[in-house]
């Protein structure tokens, strides 16, 4: 996920990396034993991961008008999101509007 975000030039924060890592672990709890039990992911850990891979952890920018590429990406996201909602039969009351907050699709168990 981090590699893909970097390839797309998407902003990514250390906290997002931690949240994603925690989601991966929740999706496959048996992996905890591979590392000797309890694992925790701190922003320091995420910063070091980015440093090792040569990535920059950065905050999303706000208030900039989108270009056509951004608009097309938004349209594709909306179609993909709708498909996920339909495929998994997510009830409407479980869909939340998160204005000015990034929406993340994370693996959950």
């Amino acid at each position: 996920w981090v590699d893909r975000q970097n390839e797309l030039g998407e902003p990514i924060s250390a906290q997002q990396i931690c949240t994603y890592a925690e989601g991966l672990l929740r999706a496959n709890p048996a992996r905890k034993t591979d590392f000797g039990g309890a694992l925790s992911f701190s922003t320091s850990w995420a910063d070091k991961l980015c440093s090792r891979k040569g990535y920059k952890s950065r905050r999303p920018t706000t208030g900039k008008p989108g270009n056509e590429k951004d608009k097309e990406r938004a349209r594709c996201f909306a179609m993909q999101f709708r498909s996920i909602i339909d495929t998994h039969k997510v009830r409407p009351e479980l869909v939340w509007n998160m204005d000015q907050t990034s929406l993340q699709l994370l693996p959950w168990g």
Side-chain angles (χ1 to χ4, degrees), residues 8-10 61 63-76:
L8 293 172
E10 294 292 330
T61 58
K64 291 167 61 175
N67 59 30
E68 286 305 313
K69 184 178 176 183
D70 291 336
K71 291 176 186 175
E72 179 59 27
R73 221 184 268 168
R75 280 191 287 275
C76 288

Side-chain angles (χ1 to χ4, degrees), residues 28-59:
N28 191 358
R31 297 291 301 196
K32 284 183 182 181
T33 58
D34 294 346
F35 301 100
L39 288 176
S40 64
F41 302 99
S42 65
T43 54
S44 175
W45 167 83
D47 288 337
K48 289 175 186 170
L49 172 72
C50 287
S51 179
R52 280 194 308 272
K53 295 183 101 14
Y55 300 155
K56 297 230 185 289
S57 176
R58 54 192 183 264
R59 292 182 174 185

Side-chain angles (χ1 to χ4, degrees), residues 81-96:
F81 188 72
R82 179 81 251 168
S83 174
I84 291 168
I85 297 295
D86 293 342
T87 300
H88 297 285
K89 297 176 178 53
V90 177
R91 295 187 318 265
E93 63 270 17
L94 296 178
V95 178
W96 293 74

